[in-house]
Amino acid sequence: MPTEYFEARERALLGERYDRLYAPPGAEPARGVTVSALRMSPEAFRAGADFGLEASPFCAAGFVVTEPGFKPGRHPWHHAGVFYSQEPSASAAAPLLGVRPGMRVLDLCAAPGGKTSQLASALAGQGLLVANEYVAARAEILKSNLERMGVSNAVVLNESPERIAAALPAFFDRILVDAPCSGEGMFRKEPAALAQHSEALVAQCAALGASILDSAAEALAPGGEILYATCTFAPQEDEGQVAAFLARHPEFVLADVMERAFAPFGSPGEANRTGGLPLDVSLVRRIWPCQGGEGHFMARLVKAGPPPDIDRAAQESLWLARMQRPAAEKKKPARPARDRRGAEAAAPAQVLEAWRAFAQETFPALADRPAVALGENVLLPPACPPLGLHILRAGVLAGEVHKGRFVPGHHLFTAFGAFCANIEALDMADPRCAAYLSGQEIPAGTAREGWCCVTVDGCPLGGGKASGGRVKNHYPKALRLLG
């Protein structure tokens, strides 16, 4: 049952429509998956999936899972980053931003990463994706999910929106604000949302959302767009929030959310929820429980002015050159540096030389890609300006040098497995697939001697090293399926 405050408020706003709009379509919350274009098309996914599903009404790449016993975290395609397990209506927001390859995109409240992975799919490995999460533990989960999904051009931050806006003013083409909210749309799905709900929480979340939106406005370039989304019904966090933002920011206009929807869904906003401020509620969108979702609100905000006239290619080349310069110009220390094992550490030039030698043999398409030595580690960075922010990961941590030899990391295989010159190809039905995911050594079939990428149905799972007809398992222990 909803809280007394929630029901009294909503009955006052909706009248006799309350019982109809808040009637869920089923006894249990719908479950869904969203397919990553970095791995597979929705058509190929539907044709190859070995579990029951049907097309989602909210997203062209989304599906509603119809199989009650389906366990997404144990499926090989989950481990290969083919799909993200996501409540169906939650997948509606990200596509409405109109992200295209080459753009600079910010997800200000990104964890755990479902919508972020959709933005990454739209970028197709081109441009820059900055994914931020203020809560440190959630930021680590975000980083892990983006690695699993094979995202190569992301910078993962654990920062406040204010500091991001100060570091990157008028920088981004698109910003997603999936705001921390009172979670009224999660009452049925998450009992904790119901237990903590109160009028005071709604007011607190509305104030926080306003602050985040103000930071997003500062970080957005002229001509850019913000997609504001919540999973609540509270007027102060939805129509009232957007109307107040537009009153504070006359440089923004409200655009029609549904212009970019692949199919009609949800309902327009409600005029009696704006707090008395002007707002064309026909341009915003709500999803009520009776419409097949748990509950969402979306609004699209466009910043006036022409986009910046910048030679982005030249700018990004300069950033990448600056990233590589410190490693090449670093002065020799008075005493030899030691690695984490106590041995004398390799110099940056030696680290990069070991990486190049490995890449030329195993990942030849990456051999000339900009790389940075970070101690023993090699980073393949995205084109990003100096930030001065708390960065958890920028680009792909390719691996590390140990005793003069390069040892590839898991993210190298998930991000660039398609470029690996040595493949151990599996499919879902192959018992070696389950064995690999559980950490076992498997018989080699297609891989020759040396490091290889282990794939399932053409999508990278991780790394291995073939020798003597066997593939030694290098799937991270923390990710393995046990039992």
Side-chain angles (χ1 to χ4, degrees), residues 134-181:
Y134 181 74
V135 179
R138 286 171 55 82
E140 288 292 339
I141 295 170
L142 169 67
K143 178 170 72 74
S144 177
N145 276 325
L146 293 184
E147 289 179 1
R148 175 177 63 84
M149 303 297 288
V151 180
S152 63
N153 59 331
V155 175
V156 181
L157 300 178
N158 173 214
E159 270 294 356
S160 69
E162 295 84 359
R163 280 175 49 83
I164 295 172
L168 295 167
F171 180 81
F172 294 97
D173 304 304
R174 298 286 190 272
I175 298 179
L176 176 63
V177 177
D178 185 23
C181 67

Side-chain angles (χ1 to χ4, degrees), residues 28 36 127 149 187 191 199 208 250 268 278 290 317 322 367 383 385 390 393 412 439 453:
E28 296 294 330
S36 171
M149 303 297 288
F187 282 173
E199 187 174 3
L208 177 58
C290 69
S317 295
R322 286 177 177 172
H390 185 201
R393 177 64 51 80
L412 178 66
C453 181

Side-chain angles (χ1 to χ4, degrees), residues 194-280:
L194 180 59
Q196 68 184 9
H197 187 264
S198 68
E199 187 174 3
L201 177 64
V202 170
Q204 178 185 352
C205 290
L208 177 58
S211 174
I212 294 172
L213 272 173
D214 288 343
S215 295
E218 184 179 348
L220 188 70
E225 299 184 19
I226 296 171
L227 196 289
Y228 174 75
T230 74
C231 57
T232 194
F233 305 105
Q236 305 96 306
E237 300 175 72
D238 293 347
E239 289 95 339
Q241 180 80 277
V242 173
F245 173 84
L246 291 170
R248 294 194 307 275
H249 294 274
E251 74 276 22
F252 278 82
V253 297
L254 189 66
D256 188 356
V257 160
M258 298 306 286
E259 280 183 0
R260 295 201 179 106
F262 88 107
F265 65 80
S267 300
E270 303 268 309
N272 62 350
R273 293 173 182 260
T274 68
L277 295 171
L279 184 74
D280 185 349

Side-chain angles (χ1 to χ4, degrees), residues 3 17-18 60 71 81 118 120 137 201 215 219 235 284 289 348 367 408 413 427 466 482:
T3 64
R17 294 185 298 152
Y18 175 88
K71 297 179 179 179
Q118 291 178 274
L201 177 64
S215 295
V284 302
F413 290 105
D427 59 49
L482 304 176

Side-chain angles (χ1 to χ4, degrees), residues 7 30 56 58 120 148 152 161 206 209 212 224 245 249 309-310 313 323 357 359 368 376 384-385 407 432 459 472:
E7 183 166 353
S56 167
F58 302 105
R148 175 177 63 84
S152 63
I212 294 172
F245 173 84
H249 294 274
D309 185 14
I310 299 172
M323 288 181 206
D368 296 326
E376 303 169 282
C384 182
V407 181
R432 293 180 301 155
C459 303
K472 185 178 179 181

Side-chain angles (χ1 to χ4, degrees), residues 337 339 343-351 375-376 401 404:
D339 65 18
E344 186 173 330
Q350 294 172 312
V351 170
E376 303 169 282
V401 173

Side-chain angles (χ1 to χ4, degrees), residues 83-147:
F83 67 78
Y84 192 99
S85 183
Q86 192 174 34
E87 189 271 310
S89 60
S91 66
L96 304 178
L97 256 179
V99 170
R100 301 187 301 274
M103 284 184 168
R104 296 170 181 173
V105 180
L106 170 63
D107 189 347
L108 259 179
C109 315
K115 295 179 179 67
T116 321
S117 68
Q118 291 178 274
L119 300 176
S121 294
L123 285 172
Q126 303 172 49
L128 177 67
L129 174 61
V130 176
N132 178 66
E133 174 55 46
Y134 181 74
V135 179
R138 286 171 55 82
E140 288 292 339
I141 295 170
L142 169 67
K143 178 170 72 74
S144 177
N145 276 325
L146 293 184
E147 289 179 1

